[in-house]
Structure formats: structure tokens, C-alpha cells
Amino acid sequence: MFPKNFLWGGALAAPQVEGAYNLGGKTLTIPDCHVFNDKNDRKVTKQVQLNRALIEEAKSSLENKFPKRWGIDFYHTYKDDLKYFKEMGFKVFRYSICWARVLPQGDFNINEEGLKFYDQLIDEIIANDMIPLITISHFDFPIVLIDKYGGWANRDLIDIYVHYCKVLFDRYKNKVKYWVTFNEINMSLKAGQKTLGILNEGQANYEEMLFQGLHHQFVAAAKVTQYAHSLNEDLKIGSMVAYFTTYPHTCKPEDALAMLQEDQMKNQFYLDVLNLGEYPFYSLSYMRNKNIEIKIEQGDLELIKNHTADYIGMSYYNSMISAADTSVLELTNANVHSVFKNPHLPANEWGWQIDPVGLRYTLNHVYSRYKQPIFILENSSGFFDTLEEDGSIHDPYRIKFLNDHIKQMALAIQDGVEVIGYTMWGPIDMISSGTSEMSKRYGFVYVDQDDYGQGSKRRIRKDSFYWYKEVIRTNGGLIV
Ligand code: BGP
């Protein structure tokens, strides 16, 4: 069912694995300021909303309470860790570059030492027979750019980001073909500090600032796509959204309309701009109705029109429901924000609902609209794992989750959707982006480390490791 050259693999991101937060010239990033709060109810994902006071506190604090500062020490262990992925037969490995390692001042001074680390990492990925797929910015905005510029609300960020990308493209254009400009760009309106570096300090026009920041990201994405193609037409620069698939609560027309409007503003808006090259009508009326006025300079729209993304990058974790009257609905957790719960679906321990059929639905839905190849850049679910006394880890729940989603992906391919690759999220355990805990595990490879960074750090293959290896070896033939 899968095309011969289908790109099977896995995805990680620097801020959740790399550690070495103050080595090699790197400066602080937003995730370096996220604390782990063990008093959190795990069923309630508490997205840490950083404000200036918390950032100032984190800057001066050397206390052992910021798990993303140590990650899984991938900075030092990547050579050994990549071997596990090679053993599973990965064709592709998605990884992000840390902006603050390459440009510690955020803007213009290049840090050779930071680049050398990525030279070695990329060479090692290739030496292990994997294609590197690089995310340029994955939820780790440099703090220094908040201090100096106030984040993406400032138009200067366009040139700064373009400069950063040029450094990467010039250096890796012959080694890296697939790029992603911004991880899950559609998280911006829900988590502005996480993706746009715009702090919510009670500004009356905060939403307007977020739309302005997004506009700057759209222009920057177009500019860097133009630059990459000028270097080599074969470079593939992708957009990326976290697709929030939504269903109507009932078959009432009002609920169907609510669903359509959610889909428009949560998902399609971003892909319409990045992949179709224009601000859709509904986004303009949304802004008008809320008195949001953003500054669009001459030439911006032309750039956006002329330099669209080469493929659609998408993460898929869960779905949600929409209704005209939401007072009757119950909330549950989902990726980055809470959503209305679907009574027909099970959920993991964190309340994220599990919906494999939604993946087939989404792939068909997205492909009908954009008719561009789709790369599934993240998919999986967090689970608690138990390390048995004999050193084994049995994780049938993970195998089931992935099997069921891969099966629906195969059916979508059979429907005619062009899916070019699948990088499951988190092939090795790491720090959770949302809760900064280690116990929420995704990996095929277990890391013996707890929420406080304690443990032997030993890597252990779980049952799912052998299963995924077979899935890749049989090009999906193992899926039932
Ligand atoms: C996505 C992020 C990833 C990852 C994933 C799972 O939104 O791109 O970085 O972390 O969600 O989320 P969590 O780690 O909170 O379980």
C-alpha cells in the first residue's frame, strides 16, 4: 500500500532532548525557562505562560527545576542514539536546529561552535543512512530576542530570521533537502509566547500583536523559500500545522457551521497563506470583526503569493468537536490547548483523545483543498511505561496506537492522497513539551531518567522498537 520510496522515520526537537543549555556559546531560550511542577494534575496540561517576571527569575536561577535544560543530553549522546534509529531502518530523521546555539545574540553574530555541532550531527545522520529533515524553529525562541525586540510583533524579526536561515541554507544546502520553516505555526494564536515570543502582559491589543507577528512569519517564510530556491530548486521548504481536526457536535446546521469556522481559523488560514499564497476572505473578516488591524507593507502580499511552500507538513495528535452552543460540552486536554471532548473516543492518561480514523479524514480533507504532497511530521501519544525487573518494557498500547494510525494513513493513500513520509513523534523518550515531565513517554527507546533528571540514563529498546523496525522493513506490510 505504501509507495516504494515512502519516507519512514521519526522526529525529535532540540529543546526537548539536547540539554547542554549553556554550553558551546548557547544562550537561553523559552523552553529553558519552563519549570516542572509535580503538583500538576496530569489530566490538566498546564501550558506554562511565561511572563517577564518568570523569565527574569529563570535567568538568574541555577536551580535544578528546568528539565529542558538537561533534556536527555542528546548534545553528548547523539552518536549512540542515532544508531538506534538506524537499527530500526529509519529513512528520514527530523530534527530542529536551536537558533540560540547558532546565533547566541539572536540576530547577527554567528557562533561557529554552535554550527560545528550541527555539522557533526547532520553528517552523523547521513552516515547512518538517514535523510535529515530540518526544522528551523521549533518552539525555542531565543530569550534575547524578546528582550531586544519584543518577539515577532517587531518587523525586524523578518530580516533576523532570514539571516539565520541563510546561514543554515548556505551551509547545508548540499546535505539537507527537506526543511520546515516554523514548527506548528498555527499554535501562535493559542500560545503566542511559545511560537512568536510575544509575552502577554495584559496588552489590550494582544490578539492584534499575535496576528502582526504571524504576518511577519508569513513574509519571512516566503522570503526564505525564495532564497532556498535561488540556491537550489530541488530544496523542499515546507509549511507545518498541527491539524486540529474537528467534527460537529450534532447534525444541526448551526453545529456544522461552527465546525467549518473552527477549521478555517485553526487550520486552513495558515495553509491558505503558506501554501496557496493568500490571506483567505474569512481571516480578513475575522480580523475586521474584532477590530484587528495589522500593518502589511508594500510587496508583502506579492512575496507571499510568489513563494509558497513546496509541501504540507502536518502533525496529527487528536481531534475535537465544535458546536454553536458550547455550554453543553465538556473540555478535555489536547495538544497545547483544551478542546471539546468527543464522547465516542478514548483518551490517554493526559486526556488527549485517540482518533485514528480522523487521520484518514484529515488527509483526504487537506489533500482535496491543497493538492500538494503531505508529510506527516508528528504523530503518536504519550504513555506511562514500566521498566520491568528483567529490564524489558512492554508497550502494546503504543504499538496499537501507531498501528491504527498507520493503517488509516495507508487507507488515505489508497483513497488517492499523496503522503510522502511519516516521522512518528519521539522515537526516544524525552522531556514533554507541554508539561516538562519525563514520565510522558513517546519513545521506541526508553531512557532511564525521571522527572527530576535522576537515573542511569541508560537506553533500552521497548517492544515497539522491534515492531516499528518490522513495519519499516515490510514497508507497512505488518500493519493490521
Ligand atoms: C507538538 C510539538 C512537539 C511535541 C508534541 C507532543 O505540539 O511539536 O514538540 O512535544 O506536541 O507534546 P507533549 O510533549 O506536550 O506531549
Side-chain angles (χ1 to χ4, degrees):
M1 271 187 281
F2 287 93
K4 202 163 149 255
N5 299 326
F6 191 74
L7 293 171
W8 295 100
L12 299 176
Q16 292 167 255
V17 296
E18 222 162 77
Y21 81 100
N22 58 357
L23 298 185
K26 177 184 165 296
T27 55
L28 280 190
T29 62
I30 289 198
D32 292 331
C33 304
H34 286 159
V35 292
F36 168 63
N37 180 357
D38 58 2
K39 293 192 183 58
N40 267 354
D41 174 357
R42 289 192 200 281
K43 301 251 174 191
V44 183
T45 306
K46 294 222 168 65
Q47 287 295 321
V48 195
Q49 288 296 326
L50 284 182
N51 53 38
R52 215 165 285 273
L54 283 173
I55 289 177
E56 288 311 316
E57 200 186 312
K59 275 187 197 170
S60 57
S61 174
L62 294 174
E63 268 182 82
N64 236 2
K65 59 180 185 184
F66 305 96
K68 289 174 191 141
R69 292 188 184 187
W70 61 76
I72 56 165
D73 200 28
F74 190 70
Y75 186 77
H76 294 112
T77 61
Y78 71 89
K79 285 194 179 159
D80 291 335
D81 291 341
L82 289 176
K83 289 205 180 83
Y84 290 103
F85 308 153
K86 179 189 164 121
E87 192 184 327
M88 278 185 277
F90 282 19
K91 316 275 182 228
V92 57
F93 174 58
R94 173 179 176 231
Y95 192 71
S96 72
I97 286 182
C98 172
W99 188 336
R101 211 178 270 296
V102 174
L103 297 159
Q105 293 317 307
D107 38 26
F108 298 107
N109 297 324
I110 298 169
N111 174 29
E112 241 337 277
E113 197 179 345
L115 280 170
K116 284 226 172 76
F117 170 69
Y118 293 112
D119 292 348
Q120 288 161 9
L121 176 64
I122 289 171
D123 286 346
E124 198 67 21
I125 295 169
I126 296 168
N128 280 287
D129 302 327
M130 294 178 274
I131 296 171
L133 186 158
I134 297 294
T135 312
I136 297 166
S137 177
H138 189 125
F139 291 176
D140 61 350
F141 195 69
I143 294 293
V144 68
L145 289 177
I146 299 180
D147 292 346
K148 285 199 268 187
Y149 298 91
W152 276 95
N154 187 326
R155 195 173 167 98
D156 288 349
L157 257 291
I158 297 177
D159 286 345
I160 293 167
Y161 177 83
V162 170
H163 169 69
Y164 167 44
C165 290
K166 283 185 174 174
V167 171
L168 302 184
F169 292 155
D170 288 348
R171 195 140 172 145
Y172 303 123
K173 60 178 181 293
N174 297 323
K175 294 180 177 175
V176 180
K177 176 175 171 180
Y178 289 98
W179 298 83
V180 175
T181 42
F182 296 100
N183 182 61
E184 296 179 339
I185 193 169
N186 61 328
M187 296 295 194
S188 311
L189 298 181
K190 285 287 166 195
Q193 41 88 30
K194 195 167 180 158
T195 68
L196 293 164
I198 304 175
L199 302 182
N200 186 348
E201 297 176 302
Q203 306 91 321
N205 63 344
Y206 187 62
E207 196 179 3
E208 184 171 84
M209 292 169 76
L210 297 181
F211 272 97
Q212 186 67 61
L214 258 176
H215 177 70
H216 295 150
Q217 288 194 334
F218 291 149
V219 175
K223 281 192 162 186
V224 303
T225 304
Q226 176 181 31
Y227 183 74
H229 290 157
S230 76
L231 290 177
N232 179 352
E233 277 180 7
D234 289 340
L235 295 186
K236 301 286 180 210
I237 315 299
S239 58
M240 181 182 177
V241 292
Y243 214 95
F244 292 110
T245 303
T246 177
Y247 308 117
H249 173 51
T250 69
C251 52
K252 271 198 244 159
E254 290 82 356
D255 285 353
L257 184 66
M259 176 198 93
L260 175 80
Q261 289 173 335
E262 289 256 31
D263 191 28
Q264 286 179 329
M265 284 312 288
K266 281 209 162 108
N267 306 305
Q268 293 177 1
F269 164 46
Y270 304 84
L271 296 177
D272 284 2
V273 179
L274 291 167
N275 292 74
L276 299 181
E278 54 192 37
Y279 271 87
F281 65 92
Y282 54 81
S283 68
L284 300 176
S285 57
Y286 177 93
M287 288 192 258
R288 216 176 21 248
N289 293 340
K290 294 191 120 188
N291 288 325
I292 291 173
E293 275 183 42
I294 57 169
K295 291 190 195 71
I296 297 181
E297 291 199 358
Q298 215 187 348
D300 285 1
L301 296 180
E302 221 177 313
L303 271 167
I304 288 173
K305 182 84 211 161
N306 293 336
H307 304 288
T308 50
D310 296 312
Y311 66 94
I312 291 180
M314 190 179 102
S315 68
Y316 177 82
Y317 286 91
N318 33 50
S319 57
M320 54 183 224
I321 57 174
S322 309
D325 173 13
T326 56
S327 64
V328 293
L329 303 179
E330 198 187 324
L331 278 172
T332 189
N333 273 319
N335 199 359
V336 173
H337 65 310
S338 301
V339 299
F340 293 114
K341 190 172 175 175
N342 186 333
H344 303 289
L345 297 174
N348 73 1
E349 297 275 349
W350 286 261
W352 295 28
Q353 294 200 287
I354 299 175
D355 178 15
V357 176
L359 179 58
R360 179 179 182 185
Y361 172 91
T362 306
L363 289 170
N364 273 276
H365 178 57
V366 172
Y367 193 62
S368 331
R369 187 175 174 88
Y370 301 99
K371 299 177 186 65
Q372 273 191 301
I374 302 175
F375 207 130
I376 300 180
L377 295 171
E378 289 182 30
N379 170 237
S380 194
S381 184
F383 295 103
F384 290 112
D385 286 323
T386 309
L387 177 57
E388 306 290 346
E389 271 178 18
D390 65 1
S392 57
I393 295 119
H394 305 301
D395 55 347
Y397 35 85
R398 182 168 292 108
I399 294 175
K400 177 165 172 40
F401 180 99
L402 293 171
N403 176 83
D404 295 353
H405 283 76
I406 293 173
K407 182 173 174 183
Q408 295 300 325
M409 171 170 67
L411 290 169
I413 292 172
Q414 222 172 47
D415 295 335
V417 179
E418 190 185 355
V419 185
I420 52 177
Y422 176 86
T423 49
M424 67 74 71
W425 177 250
I428 185 165
D429 293 342
M430 71 181 114
I431 313 290
S432 155
S433 172
T435 59
S436 293
E437 68 194 303
M438 189 72 199
S439 323
K440 189 183 189 188
R441 294 174 186 270
Y442 286 84
F444 298 127
V445 179
Y446 185 87
V447 178
D448 182 27
Q449 175 178 305
D450 68 14
D451 291 335
Y452 308 92
Q454 303 302 310
S456 70
K457 317 283 188 301
R458 198 156 63 92
R459 274 55 170 160
I460 305 163
R461 294 169 188 80
K462 305 179 192 174
D463 287 355
S464 56
F465 178 97
Y466 303 101
W467 171 82
Y468 194 54
K469 184 178 170 182
E470 271 306 285
V471 170
I472 298 178
R473 195 187 62 76
T474 57
N475 198 23
L478 193 73
I479 297 301
V480 287

